[in-house]
Amino acid sequence: MSGLYYEEFTEGETIDHAKRRTISESDNQRFCDLTMNQQPLHLDAEFAAETQFGERLVNGLYTMSLAVGLTIPDTTDGTIVANLSYDDVEHPSPVFHGDTIRAETTVTDKRLTSDEERGVVTMRVDVYKQDDTLVCSFERTALVQRAED
């Protein structure tokens, strides 16, 4: 277990996650298939070539989901009780097949639950591609375990 207990999170702390992932055409295709998202901008090369992007885009929900996965080992792996919310999701720049993404997490808030048995931690996740362009950002709020005394 590599995740953090409530007490180990520090407000204002930024975690630069070492894991990265290059997104393949197959990743994007499978995600679209699994989620039944048949948007031609993600799947149809001819259609996408006629758009302002000139090529297919990686599904933004895949980018976000992958970013969550990249952050889990350093934040909530084995200590999470539940993800409570994902808020303020933005995709300021596109992701294309072959882009490599990485994530940074900043702890923005933490508080104990009313019974003080667990903690609620809010984190801002910023996702960048290989040239340091911000491609996704969102807020993730998780209910996490407290350390045993």
Side-chain angles (χ1 to χ4, degrees):
M1 179 176 65
S2 58
L4 303 175
Y5 289 100
Y6 172 78
E7 294 83 359
E8 297 175 299
F9 285 96
T10 303
E11 281 187 57
E13 170 188 23
T14 297
I15 302 165
D16 187 11
H17 304 284
K19 288 188 181 213
R20 300 181 307 176
R21 172 75 189 262
T22 301
I23 300 173
S24 71
E25 178 180 0
S26 176
D27 295 332
N28 188 50
Q29 177 72 50
R30 285 183 291 155
F31 185 84
C32 287
D33 289 345
L34 287 169
T35 59
M36 299 176 67
N37 182 334
Q38 297 304 305
Q39 169 55 255
L41 188 56
H42 302 310
L43 302 171
D44 183 332
E46 294 301 314
F47 174 89
E50 299 299 320
T51 70
Q52 70 189 58
F53 304 106
E55 61 182 292
R56 290 167 291 170
L57 300 181
V58 171
N59 186 310
L61 291 175
Y62 177 66
T63 301
M64 181 181 162
S65 297
L66 180 55
V68 171
L70 293 173
T71 69
I72 295 289
D74 300 322
T75 58
T76 58
D77 187 18
T79 59
I80 193 167
V81 177
N83 280 310
L84 301 177
S85 67
Y86 295 95
D87 298 297
D88 301 322
V89 179
E90 296 181 10
H91 299 277
S93 296
V95 176
F96 301 102
H97 302 147
D99 282 341
T100 299
I101 66 165
R102 65 178 179 83
E104 294 177 356
T105 297
T106 301
V107 179
T108 58
D109 188 54
K110 65 181 259 190
R111 65 177 172 78
L112 291 173
T113 56
S114 58
D115 62 10
E116 298 188 356
E117 291 183 11
R118 296 169 291 198
V120 176
V121 179
T122 302
M123 301 162 268
R124 185 85 196 154
V125 178
D126 292 316
V127 187
Y128 301 91
K129 62 183 180 179
Q130 64 278 353
D131 64 0
D132 293 326
T133 300
L134 181 67
V135 295
C136 184
S137 63
F138 56 92
E139 191 173 85
R140 174 181 172 226
T141 301
L143 182 63
V144 296
Q145 297 173 15
R146 292 191 70 186
E148 294 180 15
D149 296 325

